[in-house]
């Protein structure tokens, strides 16, 4: 990743955990807050089904938000990614991760589209799996120990992650990642930028675009973030981490 594409600066420190923000070096077109058009049927990328019914994460995430978020917003990212890739069919054979972790290698004409819509597709695919009915609570075992090591305690992690999520200006995400230095790190990313594009591996992400919470929580992002902790799928976070560090 060449430096002009992204610049990173640390903005806040919580104990030994560093919260960094990735800023972008060029402007992006704002996405409409309205539901996007119906997806095209053409591949190669496809909308994964939700791993639960749209109302299963009630009362924390309401069914209407879930239905629109998955069926319209995520579907829209998939459709627009496919549209961009259609000009370069050879790229459609690459996993989405391998497009996002090497944006600079892509044809310039579709780079921004892959960054936005490919990022949107991958981020949301992760997000659905990172939530579950009767989730929440605390991580266990080695994952809990690693979080304690990085953030002092689970409460320390929760506080730092919440602060990062509330601090995202405009549309974006808060992420717990494995940094390029192999440490647990909390970062904020704007728009649909993927942690993969700055060399981080995503472990847990929280979508703080207004489309993720406005119907139920209106402007109360803090209430949404607090509620979301009740549906975190820590088993999925553990699985993602183990696949990185243990190679399975
Ligand atoms: Mn979203």
């Amino acid at each position: 990743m060449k430096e002009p594409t992204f610049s990173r600066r640390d903005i806040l420190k919580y104990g030994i955990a560093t919260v960094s923000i990735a800023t972008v070096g060029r402007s992006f077109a704002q996405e409409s807050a309205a539901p996007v058009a119906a997806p095209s049927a053409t591949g190669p990328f496809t909308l994964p089904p939700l791993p639960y019914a749209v109302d299963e994460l009630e009362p924390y995430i309401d069914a209407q938000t879930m239905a629109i978020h998955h069926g319209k917003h995520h579907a829209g990212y998939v459709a627009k990614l496919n549209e961009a890739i259609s000009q370069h069919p050879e790229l459609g054979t690459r996993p989405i991760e391998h497009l996002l972790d090497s944006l600079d290698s892509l044809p310039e004409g579709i780079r921004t589209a892959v960054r936005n819509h490919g990022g949107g597709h991958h981020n949301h695919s992760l997000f659905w799996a990172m939530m579950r009915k009767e989730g929440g609570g605390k991580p266990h075992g080695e994952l809990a120990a690693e979080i304690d090591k990085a953030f002092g305690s689970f409460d320390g992690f929760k506080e730092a992650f919440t602060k990062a999520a509330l601090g995202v200006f405009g549309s974006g995400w808060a992420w717990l990642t494995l940094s390029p230095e192999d440490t647990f790190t909390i970062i904020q990313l704007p728009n649909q930028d993927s942690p993969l594009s700055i060399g981080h591996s995503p472990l847990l992400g929280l979508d703080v675009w207004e489309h993720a919470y406005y119907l139920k929580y209106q402007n109360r992002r803090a209430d949404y973030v607090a509620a979301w902790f009740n549906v975190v799928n820590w088993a999925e976070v553990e699985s993602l981490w183990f696949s990185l560090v243990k190679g399975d």
Side-chain angles (χ1 to χ4, degrees), residues 4-15:
T5 307
F6 291 94
S7 64
R8 293 169 54 206
R9 60 191 169 91
D10 294 339
I11 54 163
L12 292 166
K13 287 181 187 296
Y14 302 96

Side-chain angles (χ1 to χ4, degrees), residues 69 124 207 211:
H69 199 175
H124 287 84
D207 185 347
H211 71 220

Side-chain angles (χ1 to χ4, degrees), residues 47-48 68-79 120-121 124-125 128:
L47 179 68
I68 295 171
H69 199 175
H70 175 260
K72 299 295 183 185
H73 290 281
H74 188 172
Y77 296 127
V78 173
H121 172 42
H124 287 84
S125 298
W128 311 131

